[in-house]
Every structure is written in structure tokens, then in C-alpha cells.
Amino acid sequence: MSEEKSPRTLKIDVLRYDPNDKNDFPHIERFEVLEADGMTLYIVLNEIREHLDNSLMFDFVCRAGICGSCSMLVNGRPTLACSTLTSKLDAHITLAPLPLFKLIKDLSIYTGEWMRYLNEHLETWIHAKEEVLNFDKLEERMDPALADEIYELDRCVECGCCVAGCGTIQMKPSFVGAVGLNKVARYHLDPRDKRSDEEYYELIGDENGVFGCMTLLGCEDVCPKDLPLQSKIAYLRRMMMKTALKN
Amino acid sequence: MKQEKIDKVPAWLDFTQSATGLILALFIMGHILFEASILVSNELMYKVTLMFEGYYFFGETYPGIVSFLAAAIFILFIVHAALALRKFPSSYQQYKIIREHTTRMQHEDSSLWMIQVITGFMMFFIGSVHLYIMMSQPSNIGPYASSHRVVAEFMGPLYFMLLLAVISHAFIGLYRLALKWGFMEGKHPEISRAKFKLLMKAMIAVYIIVGLSSLGKYTYIGLTHDFSDGVKYKSQTIHMENH
């Protein structure tokens, strides 16, 4: 005889604020939701919006930890709501929007603007440096192990968790953060990218780049995609030091 | 292709902070052990003192060597502090942000960094006092002279705080240094990180126990020894003109 346990009542405290409403101010609102088997925070938030308060705002697209839209602070730590099971948490859960990014409303934030600036600033695309583009030319072959390594870093979904988990960037917002450094590491590995070490140094060889990282490892520990951020930042640090040495 | 000369300074600043930190941490590891020779016997501690004054190399003691070593450590200490200062929160707002961040995140490594900031800041002052005394009174190191300093000259409380600060700072620093540069990372960085963290905690515990025991012994000697004929130690085996 299996014992049927009565479901928990989850107390969900949400930090709510609408910056466009002049009369609004940041405040915590509590919702109570009956827990179900296999429930994720994505389901909880939809439950709230459908049955308790349809004005609650939050972002979702894929529901499967792929798009990176639903990043938020869960009990103070950045993570993706859709891949967070309520069964792993206490019955009392606090939700807040990620800091640093532009707040749209409640849990909804605009990471796009920040990420776009970052990508433009770090030029996160292949610099083939061909004088004339030849679309008929076959792409150079790549060692599968290297392709895998690059692919591993390409899995970043720009959810912003590493940015919200980084103490350095909270204090010094001009720091590029793990998301930026990971992208640079990705292009630095890519043999199709013809940028020299010195050009990479120009991008991240300062205190807004890799030398600003204080190794708090918030990024490494909160990344929902388990990217090897700690070791890639260490790799870049060594590369940039070598570049400084040979110049 | 635009190719300006790169600014190498940020790389060197980062490297120098790491390198000075490494040397200072290794120095502290030795320092605490040498000073713990008092736990074995007064005689052994005396011999360690003589060794640093060059007795076993030159047959005579030169306290100037200790002054010189202390000055060298002081310089490294100042360079390290100056470079580390770059990372400190530089306004109340920044302090509040990092404080709230670490409280909210409940993330061990972020909190460890806060300990680095606090212990580092403490050592600006208490570390300087200690280093200056070692530099200016190099011959006043010994089983009785040191005990006298701990008790009668009231350095005990300062040494107690310095011990806690320096041991935590040194081993947390070494741990962070390994991760920062990818030292012995291996194929599974998360496993080596867990091992380094365990090692760091074990070393902090061991060194604090050893350090506190030595400090206890010096305090005991300072309280019980009769200093009426000076603070110099009279060795049973080594007889020297000047001592």
C-alpha cells in the first residue's frame, strides 16, 4: 500500500513592480498554489496568471531550458524557472526579476538590449578577413574534437543568469561578464576566426575584460547550461598573459 | 589592418597581484610552522631564530638579515595590497551592492571573497604594525623576547587577530589563485575545485590550531617567566659572546 501524501501548498512570494506605472512601487505579493507532481516554476507561474492574477508578467518561450527567456531569481539565485522543479525547493519560494537588466514589469526583463550591446562591443562573430567573399569556396575541415569544444561553448542561450550571479559586474557594470568572456573564448578557439591574439587582447585584456574577473564563480555555479565558464575564463587569462608576454 | 600597440599593464597588474599573493601565502605557511617550534621546546625555537640570523651559515648572528627579510616581505605586502585595492568596493553604494548580492546568493565562493576583502582590510593595519616591529627590532625574537612582546608589550590581541586574518586570507587566496589561472584543473575542473576547497578548509583549520597553540605557549611563557634578568634566552648548548 503506497501512502498517498497530500500535496503541499506552495507560498510563492513575487517581487512585483511596474516601472511604467508612476503610482507603483516595488512590493512583494504572495500567491498560494497547490503543488502537483513534476511541477516546475513555469507551471506555477501560469497557474497564478490563469487563476489568481492575470496581470502578473513574466517571460517564457520554450518551456524546456533552451531559449533562456525565463531566467529569474529563485530564492535569491538566478536560474531558469522552466527547469526548476518545485519539489526541489521549500514550500516557501521567492521570485524576483534578474538585477542589472532593464525591468519591463514584475519578472519580465529585457536582456536583449544588454546582450546586443555586448555582442557588438566584443564583435562576437567570425572575422574571416577575406578581401573578397567567395561563396563557392568549401569551408575548411575541422577536427571533430575541436568542433565539439566550440559547440559546447555555443550552447550559451544568453539567459543572463551568469550576469546576475556575478558579484563583480553588480559592482562594476562595465565588466563584460562570463557571457562575454565565454563568447570570446569560443571565437578564440575557432580556426576560421583570423583575429590575432593582440586583437583579442584589445577586446578583453583590461579590467573590464578578463583581468576584471575576481573569480567569485557565481557564473560557473548558476549557469543553467553548465557551461565550463571557470575553466574558459582561466584559459583566456592565460592566453592574454601570454600575449602580453610576447609583445 | 589596424594594429596598435597593446597595453600590457592590466595583464601585469593581474599577474603581479597573483604572484605577490602566492609568495606571501607560501611565506606565511613557513612562518607559522617556524614559530610553532616553541611548541617543541624553547631551545628549538631559539635555534630557528639563530638560523634566520645566519648563525649556521656564518657562525655569527646578524639580526640585519631578519630586518632585510621583513623589509622584503613588507614591500611584497604593500605591492599586493595596492593591487588588491583595485578590487575593493570603492563607494558605499558598491559595498551595499556586493553585500546584498552575497547575502542574497548564499554562494560560498562569493562569500569567501568578502572574507578576503575584510581580512585584507584588517591586515593593512595589523599586518603593518607587526612587519614594522620585526623590521625595527630584529634581535628581539626568541623564546623569551617574543613571549615578553606578546604579554608585557601587549601584542597578544594583535597577533590573535592577525593570525585569524592571515591564515584565512592566505588559504582562501591560494584556492582562488588555483581556479583563477586554471592550476591543476584536469579534465574535470569541478572535481579539482571541490578537492582544492576541501584542502583549503583543512589547511585553515590545521594552521589556526597550530598558530593558536604557539600563541598560547608564548603567552604562557610571558606570564610565568621571570624577566628580571632581561629577555635574552640563555641556551644550554650554544654559548655566544653577544647573547
Side-chain angles (χ1 to χ4, degrees):
Chain A
M1 288 281 282
S2 69
E3 217 174 299
E4 192 82 358
K5 275 209 300 195
S6 60
R8 296 189 296 174
T9 302
L10 301 174
K11 294 184 179 63
I12 315 286
D13 284 346
V14 182
L15 178 60
R16 301 197 62 179
Y17 177 53
D18 181 358
N20 295 313
D21 179 354
K22 284 206 171 70
N23 297 319
D24 199 11
F25 55 91
H27 60 284
I28 302 270
E29 204 166 318
R30 174 168 293 188
F31 300 99
E32 295 197 351
V33 176
L34 214 56
E35 192 174 27
D37 276 347
M39 199 176 218
T40 64
L41 287 176
Y42 159 74
I43 299 171
V44 170
L45 286 165
N46 275 296
E47 246 347 78
I48 296 173
R49 185 153 65 183
E50 260 175 58
H51 302 295
L52 301 171
D53 187 340
N54 63 10
S55 72
L56 180 70
M57 208 155 146
F58 53 90
D59 298 325
F60 281 98
V61 181
C62 77
R63 306 169 287 128
I66 300 164
C67 73
S69 303
C70 64
S71 46
M72 59 184 67
L73 293 181
V74 178
N75 295 334
R77 275 204 181 212
T79 190
L80 296 181
C82 71
S83 43
T84 305
L85 288 164
T86 55
S87 57
K88 305 260 188 236
L89 302 172
D90 284 343
H92 181 207
I93 300 167
T94 60
L95 302 178
L98 289 193
L100 213 77
F101 297 104
K102 189 173 164 186
L103 181 67
I104 297 172
K105 190 192 164 193
D106 300 335
L107 300 172
S108 175
I109 47 160
Y110 187 24
T111 51
E113 189 180 40
W114 197 94
M115 294 293 173
R116 185 181 175 92
Y117 170 77
L118 180 84
N119 282 301
E120 284 175 355
H121 170 63
L122 293 177
E123 305 186 12
T124 57
W125 54 85
I126 298 269
H127 290 52
K129 302 203 169 168
E130 287 167 337
E131 293 295 321
V132 185
L133 280 181
N134 179 0
F135 293 103
D136 298 325
K137 200 177 84 181
L138 284 177
E139 204 171 68
E140 272 174 54
R141 284 167 179 251
M142 192 187 284
D143 181 45
L146 178 61
D148 280 348
E149 204 181 337
I150 292 173
Y151 176 71
E152 171 80 355
L153 306 185
D154 251 344
R155 295 188 304 113
C156 174
V157 294
E158 299 189 354
C159 61
C161 286
C162 62
V163 175
C166 173
T168 310
I169 208 167
Q170 308 292 315
M171 277 200 296
K172 294 161 188 171
S174 55
F175 178 54
V176 294
V179 53
L181 293 172
N182 175 65
K183 280 166 190 285
V184 172
R186 180 244 173 275
Y187 287 97
H188 193 265
L189 282 174
D190 198 321
R192 293 166 296 183
D193 193 294
K194 304 296 182 206
R195 278 180 279 186
S196 66
D197 286 345
E198 286 73 20
E199 284 172 281
Y200 275 108
Y201 190 96
E202 286 288 336
L203 286 177
I204 56 160
D206 61 14
E207 287 169 357
N208 289 328
V210 72
F211 298 123
C213 167
M214 306 195 298
T215 325
L216 309 189
L217 296 178
C219 58
E220 166 88 8
D221 295 338
V222 300
C223 177
K225 308 301 281 185
D226 290 324
L227 294 175
L229 300 171
Q230 172 205 327
S231 65
K232 286 306 156 200
I233 296 174
Y235 160 80
L236 285 179
R237 199 185 293 271
R238 296 193 302 269
M239 286 303 117
M240 292 305 123
M241 193 62 222
K242 271 186 201 160
T243 308
L245 277 173
K246 74 180 179 193
N247 268 273
Chain B
M1 192 174 73
K2 73 168 170 101
Q3 189 65 77
E4 295 147 25
K5 201 131 177 62
I6 59 169
D7 181 4
K8 291 177 281 182
V9 176
W12 280 109
L13 294 180
D14 200 47
F15 177 78
T16 311
Q17 185 183 348
S18 291
T20 48
L22 176 67
I23 299 169
L24 289 169
L26 294 175
F27 164 77
I28 286 300
M29 287 171 73
H31 179 330
I32 303 290
L33 292 184
F34 287 126
E35 145 204 330
S37 55
I38 195 75
L39 294 173
V40 179
S41 68
N42 291 355
E43 188 70 21
L44 183 67
M45 196 270 172
Y46 179 65
K47 285 179 177 167
V48 169
T49 319
L50 289 186
M51 179 182 82
F52 281 106
E53 291 179 1
Y55 178 73
Y56 297 108
F57 307 101
F58 312 116
E60 185 49 64
T61 58
Y62 299 98
I65 297 173
V66 176
S67 276
F68 177 79
L69 287 176
I73 292 297
F74 212 168
I75 290 168
L76 286 173
F77 174 80
I78 292 168
V79 171
H80 184 71
L83 293 172
L85 205 53
R86 299 173 304 147
K87 313 281 181 180
F88 273 52
S90 60
S91 63
Y92 169 64
Q93 193 196 14
Q94 282 191 352
Y95 172 76
K96 196 174 136 200
I97 288 172
I98 191 73
R99 188 83 227 176
E100 279 172 3
H101 175 79
T102 44
T103 315
R104 184 182 69 226
M105 282 266 289
Q106 295 295 312
H107 175 248
E108 195 178 17
D109 287 53
S110 298
S111 305
L112 285 178
W113 182 79
M114 283 302 275
I115 296 179
Q116 293 298 81
V117 172
I118 294 163
T119 51
F121 187 74
M122 282 167 67
M123 284 191 287
F124 284 160
F125 311 101
I126 50 181
S128 299
V129 171
H130 174 51
L131 281 163
Y132 189 78
I133 293 177
M134 290 304 111
M135 236 165 72
S136 57
Q137 305 174 30
S139 50
N140 279 342
I141 303 172
Y144 296 152
S146 299
S147 302
H148 186 261
R149 183 162 44 243
V150 167
V151 177
E153 293 168 32
F154 219 67
M155 287 294 280
L158 186 126
Y159 283 157
F160 176 73
M161 284 190 293
L162 184 57
L163 180 76
L164 298 184
V166 80
I167 297 298
S168 341
H169 196 93
F171 288 108
I172 294 173
L174 285 177
Y175 162 75
R176 286 163 36 72
L177 210 53
L179 304 183
K180 192 178 267 266
W181 293 92
F183 172 75
M184 281 174 64
E185 197 173 65
K187 279 208 168 106
H188 300 282
E190 67 284 0
I191 296 175
S192 49
R193 178 179 167 197
K195 284 183 185 163
F196 279 140
K197 191 176 260 182
L198 192 67
L199 184 64
M200 166 195 80
K201 288 178 183 171
M203 292 298 264
I204 291 178
V206 168
Y207 266 83
I208 285 189
I209 290 169
V210 171
L212 284 181
S213 310
S214 324
L215 188 56
K217 181 79 184 283
Y218 287 112
T219 312
Y220 174 75
I221 299 172
L223 290 171
T224 53
H225 182 73
D226 176 15
F227 288 99
S228 54
D229 56 346
V231 297
K232 289 290 175 215
Y233 177 75
K234 305 281 184 293
S235 171
Q236 311 296 318
T237 53
I238 299 165
H239 299 283
M240 287 202 301
E241 298 289 310
N242 303 335
H243 276 232

